[in-house]
Amino acid sequence: MPDIQDAVLELDEDTQKDKYLTFLLGNEEYGVGINYVTEIVGIQKIVEVPEMQRHIKGVINLRGKVIPVIDVRLMLGLEEKEYNDRTCTVVLNIRGVSVGLIVDAVAEVLQISEENIVPPPEINGERKQKYINGIGKTESGIKLLVDCERLLTGNALESVLANIEH
């Protein structure tokens, strides 16, 4: 007889499959897999860490846990924007590491099936988008899907994470 806990876990994975939390950066909508999202919080006091890349804004203290935060606008090469009452931090858990993404506003949770996701365009046979791993087509338009695993790469973020974990 199958274990009840295994069945619940399997059901939980099925309910998260193909679901994305969408957020706004300017006029564009982006999405992250809902399975990475642990919570959404308002902008917290950010402690700047010296010598970081511009898009790594620093760290926040979220209920006693120190979490690095990334301004997604700057990470994607968009212009900087002053934070307002709609700006929030989407906290992700990626391979056991918590990271906060600062976004203009959270939109909604959408289901985007695999057949409605295409790879980002290639230029001269190369994929130029470092952080976008797919483009989701929905009834309300196109959503640019962020590759959460790639957020943990990069010397600056790796050094922040190494210092936090020790």
Side-chain angles (χ1 to χ4, degrees):
M1 181 176 260
D3 185 85
I4 273 279
Q5 199 167 16
D6 288 342
V8 168
L9 283 173
E10 200 171 298
L11 179 64
D12 191 39
E13 282 178 21
D14 285 348
T15 59
Q16 291 184 357
K17 183 174 172 26
D18 301 333
K19 287 198 176 158
Y20 295 85
L21 174 72
T22 60
F23 56 88
L24 297 170
L25 294 177
N27 295 325
E28 303 301 329
E29 277 194 59
Y30 293 78
V32 290
I34 196 77
N35 55 316
Y36 290 105
V37 178
T38 56
E39 63 185 302
I40 300 164
V41 296
I43 285 294
Q44 313 279 310
K45 178 180 177 356
I46 299 171
V47 176
E48 289 184 31
V49 179
E51 300 178 29
M52 289 291 111
Q53 293 170 350
R54 192 165 164 247
H55 67 275
I56 302 172
K57 297 307 273 185
V59 294
I60 59 172
N61 180 347
L62 189 61
R63 291 182 295 285
K65 188 172 183 179
V66 177
I67 299 172
V69 289
I70 298 169
D71 189 315
V72 183
R73 284 180 148 276
L74 299 178
M75 179 186 80
L76 296 174
L78 303 172
E79 67 183 49
E80 193 164 7
K81 180 182 172 191
E82 197 170 311
Y83 301 152
N84 61 36
D85 60 336
R86 295 204 56 204
T87 308
C88 56
T89 303
V90 178
V91 181
L92 306 179
N93 183 318
I94 306 166
R95 289 184 267 137
V97 176
S98 292
V99 176
L101 300 183
I102 300 170
V103 301
D104 291 355
V106 169
E108 61 187 325
V109 174
L110 282 178
Q111 181 141 359
I112 307 173
S113 59
E114 279 184 51
E115 60 265 14
N116 288 323
I117 298 173
V118 298
E122 291 184 0
I123 299 168
N124 296 330
E126 278 188 54
R127 198 178 121 196
K128 298 289 186 193
Q129 294 80 16
K130 183 175 180 182
Y131 298 110
I132 304 298
N133 69 349
I135 298 172
K137 299 177 281 183
T138 69
E139 289 179 18
S140 60
I142 288 178
K143 315 298 182 216
L144 302 170
L145 306 178
V146 176
D147 186 340
C148 291
E149 298 289 328
R150 283 225 147 145
L151 296 176
L152 294 184
T153 61
N155 296 340
L157 185 56
E158 286 172 355
S159 67
V160 171
L161 293 170
N163 290 330
I164 289 172
E165 291 170 358
H166 292 100

